[in-house]
Amino acid sequence: MWLITGGAGYIGSHVVRELTAAGEGVVVLDDLSGGDPVRLPAGVPLERGSVLDAELLARVLRDHAVDGIVHVAAKKQVGESVERPLYYYRENVEGLRTVLDAAAAAGVRRFVFSSSAAVYGPTDADLVTERTPCAPMSPYGETKLAGEWLVAAAGKAHGMATASLRYFNVAGAASPELADTGVSNLVPMVFQRLAAGQPPLVFGDDYPTPDGTCVRDYVHVRDVASAHLAAARRLTADPDAALVLNIGTGVGVSVAEMVAVIGEATGHTGVTPEVGPRRPGDPARVVASAEAIAGELDWRARYDVRQMVESAWAGWQARHPG
Ligand code: WQD
């Protein structure tokens, strides 16, 4: 039985869907601060509460005979983490430590951790590999890097197979009700502008990239979910596994390209984006090398940016009818 923390959230619910569809038993722990029970498939039990609640964790692991954990629950806003670092360290690092403590005490043997490309610093690398030095640029990224260390150390000390998965820019939805309800990333921010009759805002077009706008590695949340299933299976087969893997496509897409795809997919063609100043802290280019995960888990992304945008737009429209 797998415990998915944060399983009612945007990414967690896609992991729940993927694991249950593959026949795995799943229980969800979520405090519903960002999650919504409507995202859960029928029959998946929801335990409502915090990852900081050690007693609750001990009971949930025992009651549901949990022997694997996918720890997705976390705070994930880079800007907010700069304002509230203590809160981010408590939620993301102390929360993880509490889950690992309960896991070790309960004899859990498999642990998958949601990490982030935010562990990398500004980089000149064409493709970021897992050996690219880590130098997080925000408290958020620091909590994810510290989290990876905790997971690796606890896994080694307590006999848990572990995988830290570094997500790049996640977008899209498997179905409208699973879509991201936050408006803090490029795709939903452009949707919001277009829906309000405003042109998309591009944060800087004077970067050293082919079209001057920032380049990122957008990965469909369905692909992110399938990577978790592949990791879960691997940890089951290999009790000594201690993996750290990028989840990306290896394909760079610029903000200007992304905005054009969004215009086409949403029927807002002919809208000229507005170019604003650079957003502080944005690196010019962050694109994953997806070689390690292909080699380790035989996983590769299957969906492209058009599919991400179309599926995300269906979710946006379902929540903003008319
Ligand atoms: C993408 C690009 C913006 C909005 C962040 C975190 C990262 C990870 C994913 C969690 C950038 C540009 C955006 C807009 C724009 N999160 N942009 N106009 O910053 O690459 O990554 O989310 O793990 O850690 O840092 O994602 O979606 O905010 O921005 O031009 O209205 O779009 O400048 O170049 P980012 P993003």
Short mmCIF file of all heavy atoms in Angstrom, two decimals, residues 67-132:
data_model
loop_
_atom_site.label_atom_id
_atom_site.label_comp_id
_atom_site.label_asym_id
_atom_site.label_seq_id
_atom_site.Cartn_x
_atom_site.Cartn_y
_atom_site.Cartn_z
N ASP A 67 3.54 0.41 3.01
CA ASP A 67 4.94 -0.02 2.90
C ASP A 67 5.71 0.78 1.85
O ASP A 67 6.87 0.48 1.54
CB ASP A 67 5.05 -1.53 2.63
CG ASP A 67 4.24 -1.96 1.44
OD1 ASP A 67 3.72 -1.08 0.73
OD2 ASP A 67 4.13 -3.18 1.21
N GLY A 68 5.06 1.82 1.32
CA GLY A 68 5.76 2.73 0.41
C GLY A 68 5.14 4.11 0.51
O GLY A 68 3.93 4.23 0.77
N ILE A 69 5.96 5.15 0.37
CA ILE A 69 5.46 6.52 0.48
C ILE A 69 5.92 7.32 -0.74
O ILE A 69 7.08 7.22 -1.15
CB ILE A 69 5.97 7.20 1.77
CG1 ILE A 69 5.42 6.47 3.01
CG2 ILE A 69 5.57 8.69 1.81
CD1 ILE A 69 5.92 7.01 4.35
N VAL A 70 4.99 8.10 -1.31
CA VAL A 70 5.36 9.12 -2.30
C VAL A 70 5.06 10.45 -1.63
O VAL A 70 3.90 10.79 -1.38
CB VAL A 70 4.57 8.98 -3.61
CG1 VAL A 70 5.07 10.01 -4.64
CG2 VAL A 70 4.68 7.57 -4.17
N HIS A 71 6.13 11.18 -1.29
CA HIS A 71 5.95 12.42 -0.50
C HIS A 71 5.92 13.62 -1.45
O HIS A 71 6.95 14.13 -1.87
CB HIS A 71 7.10 12.55 0.50
CG HIS A 71 6.98 13.77 1.37
ND1 HIS A 71 5.89 14.02 2.16
CD2 HIS A 71 7.81 14.83 1.55
CE1 HIS A 71 6.07 15.17 2.80
NE2 HIS A 71 7.23 15.68 2.44
N VAL A 72 4.69 14.06 -1.73
CA VAL A 72 4.49 15.19 -2.65
C VAL A 72 4.15 16.46 -1.87
O VAL A 72 4.43 17.57 -2.32
CB VAL A 72 3.38 14.87 -3.67
CG1 VAL A 72 3.26 15.98 -4.72
CG2 VAL A 72 3.63 13.52 -4.37
N ALA A 73 3.53 16.31 -0.70
CA ALA A 73 3.05 17.47 0.07
C ALA A 73 4.18 18.45 0.34
O ALA A 73 5.22 18.07 0.87
CB ALA A 73 2.46 17.00 1.41
N ALA A 74 3.98 19.70 -0.05
CA ALA A 74 4.99 20.74 0.18
C ALA A 74 4.43 22.09 -0.22
O ALA A 74 3.41 22.16 -0.93
CB ALA A 74 6.25 20.47 -0.65
N LYS A 75 5.10 23.14 0.21
CA LYS A 75 4.83 24.49 -0.29
C LYS A 75 5.76 24.71 -1.47
O LYS A 75 6.93 24.28 -1.44
CB LYS A 75 5.09 25.52 0.81
CG LYS A 75 4.20 25.33 2.04
CD LYS A 75 2.74 25.55 1.70
CE LYS A 75 1.83 24.94 2.75
NZ LYS A 75 0.42 24.83 2.29
N LYS A 76 5.28 25.39 -2.51
CA LYS A 76 6.07 25.41 -3.75
C LYS A 76 6.17 26.77 -4.43
O LYS A 76 6.48 26.85 -5.62
CB LYS A 76 5.50 24.38 -4.73
CG LYS A 76 4.07 24.67 -5.15
CD LYS A 76 3.68 23.83 -6.35
CE LYS A 76 2.28 24.17 -6.81
NZ LYS A 76 1.84 23.42 -7.97
N GLN A 77 5.92 27.85 -3.70
CA GLN A 77 6.00 29.16 -4.35
C GLN A 77 7.36 29.80 -4.06
O GLN A 77 7.65 30.17 -2.91
CB GLN A 77 4.91 30.07 -3.82
CG GLN A 77 3.54 29.46 -3.98
CD GLN A 77 2.67 30.25 -4.91
OE1 GLN A 77 3.13 31.14 -5.61
NE2 GLN A 77 1.40 29.93 -4.91
N VAL A 78 8.15 29.94 -5.10
CA VAL A 78 9.50 30.46 -4.95
C VAL A 78 9.50 31.84 -4.28
O VAL A 78 10.23 32.09 -3.32
CB VAL A 78 10.19 30.52 -6.33
CG1 VAL A 78 11.53 31.23 -6.23
CG2 VAL A 78 10.37 29.11 -6.88
N GLY A 79 8.66 32.74 -4.77
CA GLY A 79 8.62 34.11 -4.23
C GLY A 79 8.22 34.13 -2.77
O GLY A 79 8.83 34.82 -1.94
N GLU A 80 7.19 33.33 -2.43
CA GLU A 80 6.73 33.27 -1.05
C GLU A 80 7.83 32.74 -0.13
O GLU A 80 7.96 33.17 1.03
CB GLU A 80 5.49 32.37 -0.97
CG GLU A 80 4.83 32.34 0.40
CD GLU A 80 3.70 31.33 0.50
OE1 GLU A 80 3.83 30.20 -0.03
OE2 GLU A 80 2.67 31.66 1.11
N SER A 81 8.64 31.82 -0.66
CA SER A 81 9.70 31.23 0.17
C SER A 81 10.76 32.26 0.54
O SER A 81 11.43 32.13 1.56
CB SER A 81 10.33 30.02 -0.52
OG SER A 81 11.26 30.41 -1.52
N VAL A 82 10.91 33.28 -0.30
CA VAL A 82 11.86 34.36 0.02
C VAL A 82 11.30 35.21 1.16
O VAL A 82 12.04 35.63 2.06
CB VAL A 82 12.13 35.22 -1.24
CG1 VAL A 82 13.04 36.40 -0.91
CG2 VAL A 82 12.72 34.37 -2.36
N GLU A 83 9.99 35.42 1.14
CA GLU A 83 9.34 36.22 2.21
C GLU A 83 9.24 35.44 3.51
O GLU A 83 9.30 36.01 4.59
CB GLU A 83 7.90 36.58 1.80
CG GLU A 83 7.74 37.21 0.43
CD GLU A 83 8.30 38.61 0.39
OE1 GLU A 83 8.15 39.30 1.40
OE2 GLU A 83 8.91 38.97 -0.63
N ARG A 84 9.01 34.13 3.40
CA ARG A 84 8.72 33.31 4.58
C ARG A 84 9.60 32.06 4.64
O ARG A 84 9.11 30.93 4.64
CB ARG A 84 7.25 32.89 4.57
CG ARG A 84 6.26 34.05 4.46
CD ARG A 84 4.82 33.55 4.50
NE ARG A 84 4.47 32.97 5.78
CZ ARG A 84 3.38 32.23 6.00
NH1 ARG A 84 2.54 31.97 5.01
NH2 ARG A 84 3.12 31.75 7.20
N PRO A 85 10.93 32.25 4.74
CA PRO A 85 11.82 31.07 4.72
C PRO A 85 11.58 30.11 5.87
O PRO A 85 11.65 28.89 5.70
CB PRO A 85 13.23 31.68 4.79
CG PRO A 85 13.04 33.07 5.31
CD PRO A 85 11.69 33.50 4.85
N LEU A 86 11.26 30.64 7.06
CA LEU A 86 11.08 29.76 8.22
C LEU A 86 9.88 28.85 8.02
O LEU A 86 9.89 27.66 8.37
CB LEU A 86 10.91 30.59 9.50
CG LEU A 86 12.12 31.49 9.82
CD1 LEU A 86 11.80 32.43 10.98
CD2 LEU A 86 13.35 30.65 10.11
N TYR A 87 8.83 29.42 7.45
CA TYR A 87 7.63 28.64 7.13
C TYR A 87 7.97 27.54 6.11
O TYR A 87 7.56 26.38 6.26
CB TYR A 87 6.58 29.60 6.58
CG TYR A 87 5.30 28.98 6.08
CD1 TYR A 87 4.47 28.26 6.93
CD2 TYR A 87 4.92 29.13 4.75
CE1 TYR A 87 3.29 27.71 6.46
CE2 TYR A 87 3.74 28.59 4.27
CZ TYR A 87 2.93 27.88 5.13
OH TYR A 87 1.77 27.34 4.67
N TYR A 88 8.74 27.89 5.08
CA TYR A 88 9.09 26.89 4.06
C TYR A 88 9.97 25.78 4.64
O TYR A 88 9.80 24.62 4.32
CB TYR A 88 9.74 27.57 2.84
CG TYR A 88 8.67 27.93 1.83
CD1 TYR A 88 7.73 28.90 2.13
CD2 TYR A 88 8.54 27.23 0.64
CE1 TYR A 88 6.71 29.19 1.25
CE2 TYR A 88 7.50 27.50 -0.24
CZ TYR A 88 6.60 28.48 0.07
OH TYR A 88 5.57 28.74 -0.80
N TYR A 89 10.92 26.15 5.49
CA TYR A 89 11.76 25.11 6.11
C TYR A 89 10.92 24.21 7.01
O TYR A 89 11.12 23.00 7.05
CB TYR A 89 12.93 25.74 6.87
CG TYR A 89 14.15 25.93 5.99
CD1 TYR A 89 14.25 27.02 5.15
CD2 TYR A 89 15.18 25.00 5.98
CE1 TYR A 89 15.36 27.19 4.32
CE2 TYR A 89 16.28 25.16 5.15
CZ TYR A 89 16.37 26.26 4.33
OH TYR A 89 17.47 26.42 3.51
N ARG A 90 9.96 24.80 7.73
CA ARG A 90 9.12 23.96 8.59
C ARG A 90 8.26 23.01 7.76
O ARG A 90 8.26 21.80 7.99
CB ARG A 90 8.22 24.82 9.49
CG ARG A 90 7.50 23.97 10.53
CD ARG A 90 6.49 24.77 11.34
NE ARG A 90 5.41 25.20 10.47
CZ ARG A 90 4.45 26.04 10.82
NH1 ARG A 90 4.42 26.54 12.03
NH2 ARG A 90 3.50 26.38 9.98
N GLU A 91 7.54 23.55 6.80
CA GLU A 91 6.64 22.72 6.00
C GLU A 91 7.39 21.69 5.16
O GLU A 91 7.00 20.52 5.10
CB GLU A 91 5.80 23.61 5.07
CG GLU A 91 4.82 24.52 5.79
CD GLU A 91 3.64 23.77 6.38
OE1 GLU A 91 3.19 22.77 5.79
OE2 GLU A 91 3.19 24.18 7.46
N ASN A 92 8.45 22.13 4.51
CA ASN A 92 9.10 21.25 3.53
C ASN A 92 10.20 20.38 4.13
O ASN A 92 10.36 19.23 3.73
CB ASN A 92 9.69 22.08 2.38
CG ASN A 92 8.60 22.71 1.52
OD1 ASN A 92 7.41 22.59 1.81
ND2 ASN A 92 9.00 23.39 0.47
N VAL A 93 10.96 20.92 5.08
CA VAL A 93 12.07 20.12 5.64
C VAL A 93 11.61 19.40 6.91
O VAL A 93 11.75 18.18 7.01
CB VAL A 93 13.30 21.00 5.92
CG1 VAL A 93 14.43 20.16 6.51
CG2 VAL A 93 13.78 21.66 4.61
N GLU A 94 11.01 20.14 7.85
CA GLU A 94 10.52 19.48 9.06
C GLU A 94 9.37 18.53 8.72
O GLU A 94 9.25 17.44 9.30
CB GLU A 94 10.11 20.51 10.12
CG GLU A 94 9.52 19.94 11.40
CD GLU A 94 10.44 18.96 12.15
OE1 GLU A 94 11.65 18.90 11.86
OE2 GLU A 94 9.91 18.24 13.03
N GLY A 95 8.52 18.92 7.77
CA GLY A 95 7.45 18.03 7.32
C GLY A 95 8.01 16.73 6.78
O GLY A 95 7.58 15.63 7.16
N LEU A 96 9.01 16.82 5.92
CA LEU A 96 9.66 15.63 5.36
C LEU A 96 10.33 14.81 6.46
O LEU A 96 10.22 13.58 6.50
CB LEU A 96 10.68 16.04 4.31
CG LEU A 96 11.63 14.95 3.81
CD1 LEU A 96 10.87 13.83 3.12
CD2 LEU A 96 12.67 15.56 2.86
N ARG A 97 11.03 15.49 7.37
CA ARG A 97 11.72 14.78 8.45
C ARG A 97 10.72 13.98 9.30
O ARG A 97 10.98 12.83 9.68
CB ARG A 97 12.49 15.77 9.34
CG ARG A 97 13.56 15.12 10.22
CD ARG A 97 13.84 15.93 11.47
NE ARG A 97 12.65 16.05 12.31
CZ ARG A 97 12.19 15.10 13.11
NH1 ARG A 97 12.81 13.94 13.21
NH2 ARG A 97 11.09 15.28 13.82
N THR A 98 9.57 14.59 9.54
CA THR A 98 8.53 13.92 10.34
C THR A 98 8.00 12.69 9.60
O THR A 98 7.80 11.62 10.21
CB THR A 98 7.39 14.91 10.65
OG1 THR A 98 7.95 16.11 11.18
CG2 THR A 98 6.40 14.33 11.64
N VAL A 99 7.80 12.82 8.30
CA VAL A 99 7.32 11.68 7.51
C VAL A 99 8.38 10.57 7.49
O VAL A 99 8.06 9.39 7.67
CB VAL A 99 6.96 12.12 6.07
CG1 VAL A 99 6.61 10.90 5.21
CG2 VAL A 99 5.81 13.13 6.08
N LEU A 100 9.64 10.94 7.32
CA LEU A 100 10.71 9.93 7.29
C LEU A 100 10.85 9.22 8.64
O LEU A 100 11.09 8.01 8.70
CB LEU A 100 12.04 10.57 6.90
CG LEU A 100 12.21 10.92 5.42
CD1 LEU A 100 13.41 11.83 5.22
CD2 LEU A 100 12.35 9.64 4.57
N ASP A 101 10.69 9.99 9.71
CA ASP A 101 10.76 9.42 11.06
C ASP A 101 9.67 8.36 11.24
O ASP A 101 9.94 7.23 11.68
CB ASP A 101 10.54 10.59 12.05
CG ASP A 101 11.22 10.34 13.38
OD1 ASP A 101 11.83 9.28 13.55
OD2 ASP A 101 11.13 11.22 14.25
N ALA A 102 8.45 8.72 10.86
CA ALA A 102 7.33 7.78 10.97
C ALA A 102 7.57 6.58 10.06
O ALA A 102 7.28 5.43 10.42
CB ALA A 102 6.02 8.49 10.61
N ALA A 103 8.11 6.85 8.86
CA ALA A 103 8.36 5.77 7.89
C ALA A 103 9.37 4.78 8.44
O ALA A 103 9.17 3.56 8.37
CB ALA A 103 8.86 6.36 6.57
N ALA A 104 10.45 5.30 9.01
CA ALA A 104 11.49 4.42 9.56
C ALA A 104 10.92 3.59 10.70
O ALA A 104 11.16 2.37 10.78
CB ALA A 104 12.68 5.25 10.02
N ALA A 105 10.15 4.24 11.58
CA ALA A 105 9.58 3.52 12.73
C ALA A 105 8.59 2.45 12.29
O ALA A 105 8.46 1.41 12.95
CB ALA A 105 8.89 4.52 13.67
N ALA A 106 7.90 2.68 11.18
CA ALA A 106 6.89 1.73 10.71
C ALA A 106 7.48 0.69 9.76
O ALA A 106 6.75 -0.18 9.26
CB ALA A 106 5.76 2.49 10.02
N GLY A 107 8.78 0.79 9.48
CA GLY A 107 9.40 -0.20 8.60
C GLY A 107 9.05 -0.03 7.13
O GLY A 107 9.11 -1.00 6.36
N VAL A 108 8.71 1.20 6.73
CA VAL A 108 8.43 1.46 5.31
C VAL A 108 9.71 1.23 4.50
O VAL A 108 10.80 1.64 4.91
CB VAL A 108 7.91 2.91 5.14
CG1 VAL A 108 7.87 3.31 3.67
CG2 VAL A 108 6.54 3.06 5.80
N ARG A 109 9.57 0.58 3.35
CA ARG A 109 10.76 0.14 2.60
C ARG A 109 11.02 0.95 1.33
O ARG A 109 12.05 0.79 0.69
CB ARG A 109 10.61 -1.34 2.22
CG ARG A 109 10.77 -2.27 3.42
CD ARG A 109 12.26 -2.50 3.72
NE ARG A 109 12.46 -3.02 5.06
CZ ARG A 109 12.83 -2.29 6.12
NH1 ARG A 109 13.06 -0.99 5.99
NH2 ARG A 109 12.99 -2.83 7.31
N ARG A 110 10.05 1.81 0.92
CA ARG A 110 10.20 2.52 -0.37
C ARG A 110 9.77 3.97 -0.18
O ARG A 110 8.71 4.23 0.40
CB ARG A 110 9.33 1.86 -1.43
CG ARG A 110 9.57 0.37 -1.57
CD ARG A 110 8.51 -0.33 -2.41
NE ARG A 110 7.21 -0.41 -1.72
CZ ARG A 110 6.10 -0.88 -2.25
NH1 ARG A 110 6.10 -1.33 -3.49
NH2 ARG A 110 4.98 -0.90 -1.57
N PHE A 111 10.57 4.90 -0.71
CA PHE A 111 10.27 6.31 -0.48
C PHE A 111 10.60 7.11 -1.74
O PHE A 111 11.75 7.15 -2.19
CB PHE A 111 11.08 6.85 0.70
CG PHE A 111 10.53 8.12 1.29
CD1 PHE A 111 9.67 8.08 2.38
CD2 PHE A 111 10.85 9.35 0.74
CE1 PHE A 111 9.13 9.25 2.92
CE2 PHE A 111 10.32 10.52 1.27
CZ PHE A 111 9.47 10.48 2.37
N VAL A 112 9.57 7.76 -2.29
CA VAL A 112 9.75 8.62 -3.47
C VAL A 112 9.51 10.06 -3.03
O VAL A 112 8.50 10.36 -2.39
CB VAL A 112 8.75 8.25 -4.60
CG1 VAL A 112 8.97 9.14 -5.83
CG2 VAL A 112 8.88 6.78 -4.98
N PHE A 113 10.46 10.95 -3.37
CA PHE A 113 10.40 12.34 -2.92
C PHE A 113 10.26 13.28 -4.12
O PHE A 113 11.01 13.18 -5.09
CB PHE A 113 11.68 12.66 -2.14
CG PHE A 113 11.83 14.10 -1.74
CD1 PHE A 113 10.86 14.74 -0.98
CD2 PHE A 113 12.96 14.83 -2.13
CE1 PHE A 113 11.00 16.08 -0.61
CE2 PHE A 113 13.11 16.16 -1.75
CZ PHE A 113 12.12 16.78 -1.00
N SER A 114 9.32 14.22 -4.00
CA SER A 114 9.14 15.26 -5.03
C SER A 114 10.19 16.32 -4.86
O SER A 114 10.08 17.17 -3.98
CB SER A 114 7.78 15.94 -4.87
OG SER A 114 6.74 15.07 -5.14
N SER A 115 11.21 16.30 -5.70
CA SER A 115 12.18 17.37 -5.69
C SER A 115 11.93 18.29 -6.88
O SER A 115 10.85 18.23 -7.49
CB SER A 115 13.61 16.81 -5.67
OG SER A 115 14.54 17.86 -5.48
N SER A 116 12.88 19.12 -7.19
CA SER A 116 12.61 20.19 -8.15
C SER A 116 13.88 20.61 -8.87
O SER A 116 14.98 20.55 -8.29
CB SER A 116 12.05 21.40 -7.40
OG SER A 116 12.03 22.55 -8.22
N ALA A 117 13.72 21.11 -10.08
CA ALA A 117 14.84 21.72 -10.80
C ALA A 117 15.33 22.96 -10.07
O ALA A 117 16.42 23.46 -10.38
CB ALA A 117 14.41 22.09 -12.22
N ALA A 118 14.56 23.43 -9.08
CA ALA A 118 14.99 24.58 -8.28
C ALA A 118 16.23 24.27 -7.44
O ALA A 118 16.81 25.18 -6.85
CB ALA A 118 13.85 25.05 -7.37
N VAL A 119 16.65 23.00 -7.37
CA VAL A 119 17.89 22.68 -6.64
C VAL A 119 19.12 23.15 -7.42
O VAL A 119 20.19 23.35 -6.84
CB VAL A 119 18.06 21.17 -6.32
CG1 VAL A 119 16.92 20.68 -5.44
CG2 VAL A 119 18.18 20.33 -7.58
N TYR A 120 18.97 23.33 -8.74
CA TYR A 120 20.11 23.78 -9.54
C TYR A 120 20.23 25.29 -9.46
O TYR A 120 19.24 26.00 -9.29
CB TYR A 120 19.92 23.37 -11.00
CG TYR A 120 19.84 21.87 -11.22
CD1 TYR A 120 18.66 21.29 -11.68
CD2 TYR A 120 20.92 21.06 -10.95
CE1 TYR A 120 18.58 19.91 -11.89
CE2 TYR A 120 20.86 19.68 -11.16
CZ TYR A 120 19.68 19.12 -11.63
OH TYR A 120 19.61 17.77 -11.83
N GLY A 121 21.44 25.76 -9.63
CA GLY A 121 21.64 27.20 -9.67
C GLY A 121 21.54 27.72 -11.09
O GLY A 121 21.14 27.00 -11.99
N PRO A 122 21.93 28.96 -11.28
CA PRO A 122 22.00 29.48 -12.65
C PRO A 122 23.07 28.68 -13.36
O PRO A 122 24.12 28.42 -12.80
CB PRO A 122 22.43 30.93 -12.45
CG PRO A 122 23.00 31.02 -11.09
CD PRO A 122 22.45 29.89 -10.28
N THR A 123 22.80 28.25 -14.55
CA THR A 123 23.73 27.31 -15.18
C THR A 123 23.97 27.69 -16.63
O THR A 123 23.09 28.23 -17.29
CB THR A 123 23.18 25.87 -15.10
OG1 THR A 123 23.96 25.05 -15.95
CG2 THR A 123 21.73 25.79 -15.53
N ASP A 124 25.17 27.40 -17.10
CA ASP A 124 25.48 27.60 -18.51
C ASP A 124 25.28 26.31 -19.29
O ASP A 124 25.42 26.29 -20.51
CB ASP A 124 26.95 28.03 -18.68
CG ASP A 124 27.20 29.39 -18.04
OD1 ASP A 124 26.25 30.20 -18.01
OD2 ASP A 124 28.32 29.63 -17.57
N ALA A 125 24.96 25.25 -18.56
CA ALA A 125 24.86 23.95 -19.22
C ALA A 125 23.74 23.97 -20.26
O ALA A 125 22.66 24.50 -20.02
CB ALA A 125 24.58 22.87 -18.18
N ASP A 126 24.01 23.39 -21.40
CA ASP A 126 22.98 23.28 -22.44
C ASP A 126 21.86 22.39 -21.92
O ASP A 126 20.68 22.73 -22.00
CB ASP A 126 23.64 22.69 -23.69
CG ASP A 126 22.66 22.61 -24.84
OD1 ASP A 126 21.87 23.56 -25.00
OD2 ASP A 126 22.67 21.59 -25.55
N LEU A 127 22.25 21.26 -21.35
CA LEU A 127 21.29 20.37 -20.70
C LEU A 127 21.77 20.13 -19.27
O LEU A 127 22.93 19.81 -19.05
CB LEU A 127 21.20 19.03 -21.44
CG LEU A 127 20.65 19.08 -22.87
CD1 LEU A 127 20.70 17.70 -23.50
CD2 LEU A 127 19.22 19.62 -22.89
N VAL A 128 20.87 20.27 -18.33
CA VAL A 128 21.22 20.10 -16.92
C VAL A 128 21.17 18.62 -16.57
O VAL A 128 20.11 17.99 -16.66
CB VAL A 128 20.21 20.87 -16.03
CG1 VAL A 128 20.57 20.70 -14.56
CG2 VAL A 128 20.17 22.34 -16.41
N THR A 129 22.31 18.05 -16.19
CA THR A 129 22.31 16.65 -15.77
C THR A 129 22.27 16.60 -14.25
O THR A 129 22.48 17.61 -13.58
CB THR A 129 23.57 15.89 -16.24
OG1 THR A 129 24.66 16.25 -15.38
CG2 THR A 129 23.92 16.19 -17.68
N GLU A 130 22.04 15.42 -13.71
CA GLU A 130 21.99 15.25 -12.27
C GLU A 130 23.34 15.51 -11.63
O GLU A 130 23.42 15.66 -10.41
CB GLU A 130 21.49 13.84 -11.93
CG GLU A 130 20.02 13.59 -12.29
CD GLU A 130 19.77 13.29 -13.76
OE1 GLU A 130 20.73 13.34 -14.57
OE2 GLU A 130 18.62 12.99 -14.11
N ARG A 131 24.40 15.56 -12.43
CA ARG A 131 25.73 15.86 -11.90
C ARG A 131 26.07 17.34 -11.98
O ARG A 131 27.10 17.77 -11.48
CB ARG A 131 26.80 15.02 -12.62
CG ARG A 131 26.77 13.55 -12.22
CD ARG A 131 27.70 12.70 -13.07
NE ARG A 131 27.49 12.90 -14.50
CZ ARG A 131 26.46 12.39 -15.19
NH1 ARG A 131 25.56 11.64 -14.58
NH2 ARG A 131 26.33 12.64 -16.48
N THR A 132 25.19 18.14 -12.60
CA THR A 132 25.37 19.59 -12.59
C THR A 132 25.34 20.05 -11.13
O THR A 132 24.44 19.63 -10.38
CB THR A 132 24.25 20.28 -13.40
OG1 THR A 132 24.27 19.77 -14.74
CG2 THR A 132 24.41 21.78 -13.42
#
